[in-house]
Amino acid sequence: MIRRLLQSILEVVDLEVDGEPVKIDGFRLRDISRWADYPSSLSDIFWHLSSVCNFSCEFCYEKGNPQDFPIQNTPRMASVSEIDTRLRYYDPDKKTGIFSVRTSINEPFVNKNAMQYLRKMRAKCPDELISFVTNGSFLTEDNIKTLKELEPVFFNLSLYSVDKRIRQRVLWDLKSDVARGSPELLARHRVPYMANLVMWPSISMEDMERTIAHADDHSCALIRICLGGYTRYLQGDFERFDIDDYWPQVVNAVELIRSKYRTPIIIEPNSYVHFSTDAYLDGVIVGSPADLAGLKRRDLIKCVNGVSISSRLQLLSVLRKLSQAQSGGYRPPGVSGRTGRVRRANDCTVNLQVQRGDDLFDIDLQRYAPEAMLSYPYSNIAQYNDFLFGLILTDTLSFSALALARKMIRQYDARKTLILSSPMIEPILHEMIRLTGAFEAERVDIRVAYNRFFGGTINVGDLLVVEDFVDAINDYCKEAGSPDLVLIPASPFASSAWNRDLNGTPWTYIERRTGIRVAMVDCNSITF
């Protein structure tokens, strides 16, 4: 924003020093402390290490951006000065720091100083978790030993395939032995990780299973299968596919092999495979209290300590509150990088009422059960609230979003309301409304805002932009007349602290361009 304003000024004026024109090629902030109230973390600082990737994946979504997309695509490496400055202004208690730069996807270890910067981060905050994404090509044994020394760390290993030919042809990983061998080394040195696979027509279902088996053999905490998609801007000689045909093939293939492996496997977008908001388990971490107690994927949690549970998000909320309360309001900080020992507050125990088919039974879980704390990878991630008791629970739309929507309808005294959703969430939204009767007293229409800007096979709400919403509203008005109020999800604007879409356009432009009152409903990412 500042750059654009300066450029517009410099179109009509020249700046001079001693009477001579000066070419302006940049600017800096005079008082950085005034810009250091942005939500931040060590993981966020780590993200800035590099905007370069040493792979050229056929399915890379960064290749699918339009040419004028306002993402910082210039190849850059963070300097010592930048990291020192970000760490100097980072407040680990408030979790605030200098604002993020919107950069393209990167491989952080392409920055040759990555390990040096990691040591600086660990010195700043000895116990804060550092998480990141890496393609594994720099995970040599020496680097993995260093990661072990710098715990707590947990990262997403974008493994994709263990087939050398596929890695060369689809990923352009010409030296694949390091990445392929990294799971074995990570397991040997007990560094926790999850594995990521993107399914694409040039990666066969058979290869997917081989990669899953490889990760499962080497104590991966969690395997995530991402359903691939592409925008209309993606160039290259790749097989165009229809997701209505291809995605079910992937889901069916995963379901056929899932029971063969102990490592929990999830599919994303999870909203594509989860139409229910009920508190079903998506899996359990091997060796965790949940696993030792015999809990399984698709078990339904009915009660926690006698509290009736109606949804997955409620289950997560109740478990986290109980954990915090039993720890005296203190969140276990993690693993000390200096000692390697788990440092935690008082243990947390819960009683779960579980339904499995027609059977109903109770199970007691102890978060730091002695047997579980001897198990890798659970012992390394037991302190993370995302893996409480070893339970895997994927996100979904919160019922509170419906309550907020109803409150807004009444606040604006809307006689006719249009709610815009995505193709992915629309059926879930209808089911939640049916269960709750949330809008029985209101006149509400629900329509899909399609991803026309990105096009291709994109169908998730987080990638909607202002013009997609404008098009959806105009289409609705032609069909059913103008509504008094339009409700849109907040998630497409969540990547910006100023509520702008991926094009940098403020959400308020929707109302300006349609002349209809628009309100934004707070919701989770990858849901609406």
Side-chain angles (χ1 to χ4, degrees):
M1 180 185 70
I2 296 172
R3 177 177 56 80
R4 287 200 302 266
L5 288 172
L6 289 176
Q7 285 176 335
S8 65
I9 293 171
L10 292 172
E11 287 177 1
V12 294
V13 302
D14 286 327
L15 296 185
E16 298 180 352
V17 172
D18 298 329
E20 295 296 325
V22 176
K23 180 181 178 182
I24 305 300
D25 60 4
F27 65 91
R28 68 178 181 180
L29 305 175
R30 183 169 61 183
D31 185 354
I32 294 180
S33 64
R34 297 183 62 182
W35 299 83
D37 60 351
Y38 193 90
S40 188
S41 65
L42 291 185
S43 301
D44 181 71
I45 295 171
F46 191 83
W47 177 259
H48 287 84
L49 294 194
S50 162
S51 64
V52 176
C53 186
N54 56 323
F55 286 3
S56 182
C57 299
E58 189 175 286
F59 47 77
C60 179
Y61 66 83
E62 294 296 344
K63 295 179 180 178
N65 291 334
Q67 284 191 339
D68 57 349
F69 201 53
I71 296 290
Q72 179 69 264
N73 285 320
T74 304
R76 64 182 294 275
M77 302 288 182
S79 64
V80 175
S81 175
E82 176 180 345
I83 297 303
D84 285 346
T85 302
R86 288 188 176 278
L87 287 174
R88 184 182 314 123
Y89 290 98
Y90 174 53
D91 186 329
D93 295 322
K94 295 180 180 178
K95 291 290 188 292
T96 56
I98 298 173
F99 54 83
S100 296
V101 177
R102 297 180 70 192
T103 61
S104 59
I105 195 69
N106 57 66
E107 169 52 49
F109 294 105
V110 168
N111 191 318
K112 65 180 181 180
N113 297 313
M115 289 301 177
Q116 173 191 344
Y117 296 153
L118 268 176
R119 291 188 179 94
K120 286 175 175 283
M121 294 177 199
R122 184 52 70 223
K124 170 80 173 185
C125 306
D127 297 312
E128 182 178 331
L129 169 68
I130 301 176
S131 62
F132 51 88
V133 179
T134 177
N135 60 36
S137 59
F138 293 89
L139 293 182
T140 62
E141 187 158 19
D142 286 344
N143 283 340
I144 288 173
K145 287 179 179 177
T146 301
L147 290 177
K148 181 66 178 178
E149 295 170 1
L150 298 175
E151 287 185 322
V153 297
F154 183 73
F155 56 91
N156 188 330
L157 173 60
S158 295
L159 192 55
Y160 300 141
S161 172
V162 291
D163 185 288
K164 201 167 189 174
R165 292 165 300 178
I166 290 177
R167 294 187 66 86
Q168 291 175 345
R169 186 180 71 252
V170 181
L171 312 182
W172 278 83
D173 177 15
L174 303 181
K175 298 179 180 180
S176 62
D177 289 344
V178 174
R180 291 164 61 229
S182 61
E184 180 180 356
L185 293 174
L186 291 167
R188 183 188 307 167
H189 294 284
R190 295 174 70 91
V191 177
Y193 70 102
M194 63 179 286
N196 190 60
L197 286 71
V198 174
M199 284 309 295
W200 198 252
S202 51
I203 299 176
S204 68
M205 305 298 173
E206 293 76 18
D207 183 69
M208 175 186 71
E209 181 172 2
R210 286 192 293 270
T211 307
I212 289 172
H214 186 67
D216 181 75
D217 284 343
H218 297 104
S219 303
C220 182
L222 175 68
I223 298 171
R224 184 174 68 173
I225 309 296
C226 297
L227 302 173
Y230 56 89
T231 75
R232 60 190 170 99
Y233 303 100
L234 184 60
Q235 303 296 314
D237 183 21
F238 69 95
E239 180 183 342
R240 269 62 178 175
F241 56 89
D242 183 347
I243 61 173
D244 291 333
D245 174 58
Y246 181 64
W247 283 14
Q249 293 180 42
V250 178
V251 173
N252 291 337
V254 172
E255 292 300 328
L256 286 173
I257 66 172
R258 191 192 294 272
S259 61
K260 295 167 60 175
Y261 304 98
R262 294 193 66 199
T263 305
I265 303 171
I266 61 173
I267 297 174
E268 288 194 355
N270 61 73
S271 300
Y272 180 74
V273 291
H274 273 303
F275 298 108
S276 170
T277 59
D278 291 342
Y280 285 105
L281 300 184
D282 289 285
V284 295
I285 301 292
V286 174
S288 68
D291 181 43
L292 297 173
L295 287 174
K296 300 178 180 179
R297 178 178 176 270
R298 299 305 294 166
D299 281 347
L300 177 64
I301 308 302
K302 302 290 289 183
C303 295
V304 177
N305 285 3
V307 177
S308 181
I309 300 297
S310 60
S311 71
R312 290 198 300 284
L313 287 185
Q314 184 196 3
L315 174 58
L316 278 169
S317 176
V318 169
L319 289 174
R320 287 174 178 173
K321 287 178 181 177
L322 284 171
S323 176
Q324 185 179 41
Q326 293 188 23
S327 299
Y330 178 69
R331 180 176 176 177
V335 179
S336 169
R338 293 186 296 271
T339 66
R341 294 193 301 269
V342 175
R343 294 166 52 185
R344 59 180 183 273
N346 296 329
D347 208 342
C348 175
T349 59
V350 295
N351 173 265
L352 304 181
Q353 185 184 73
V354 184
Q355 182 176 329
R356 181 181 297 163
D358 295 328
D359 296 330
L360 196 65
F361 54 93
D362 282 9
I363 281 180
D364 291 324
L365 297 181
Q366 181 184 353
R367 185 174 184 177
Y368 300 106
E371 187 178 353
M373 295 310 291
L374 295 175
S375 171
Y376 167 80
Y378 180 75
S379 60
N380 302 73
I381 60 176
Q383 68 274 18
Y384 308 153
N385 281 348
D386 286 342
F387 300 106
L388 281 171
F389 307 99
L391 303 173
I392 301 296
L393 297 159
T394 54
D395 212 347
T396 185
L397 182 62
S398 171
F399 283 96
S400 63
L402 297 186
L404 181 58
R406 183 172 58 193
K407 180 179 178 181
M408 288 179 169
I409 291 170
R410 293 173 180 175
Q411 174 186 344
Y412 292 113
D413 194 26
R415 291 166 296 176
K416 180 181 178 182
T417 302
L418 170 64
I419 297 179
L420 292 177
S421 181
S422 68
M424 194 80 65
I425 289 298
E426 184 199 22
I428 300 175
L429 187 57
H430 277 291
E431 177 63 12
M432 291 172 66
I433 292 171
R434 185 190 68 79
L435 290 171
T436 62
F439 305 125
E440 284 182 350
E442 322 294 342
R443 184 183 174 188
V444 173
D445 284 337
I446 298 172
R447 292 290 189 274
V448 168
Y450 292 100
N451 298 85
R452 295 175 180 171
F453 173 77
F454 283 110
T457 62
I458 304 303
N459 63 352
V460 293
D462 288 7
L463 298 181
L464 291 166
V465 299
V466 162
E467 62 186 77
D468 293 326
F469 287 112
V470 171
D471 287 344
I473 293 170
N474 289 337
D475 289 346
Y476 175 82
C477 290
K478 292 175 184 177
E479 172 195 336
S482 297
D484 302 307
L485 174 67
V486 177
L487 297 179
I488 64 170
S491 58
F493 308 94
S495 64
S496 163
W498 300 280
N499 291 324
R500 294 170 179 261
D501 67 12
L502 293 173
N503 269 325
T505 307
W507 74 278
T508 50
Y509 276 40
I510 303 172
E511 184 170 312
R512 295 186 191 181
R513 290 177 57 183
T514 61
I516 299 170
R517 183 184 295 276
V518 177
M520 196 161 60
V521 180
D522 191 27
C523 64
N524 301 356
S525 294
I526 311 297
T527 52
F528 253 97

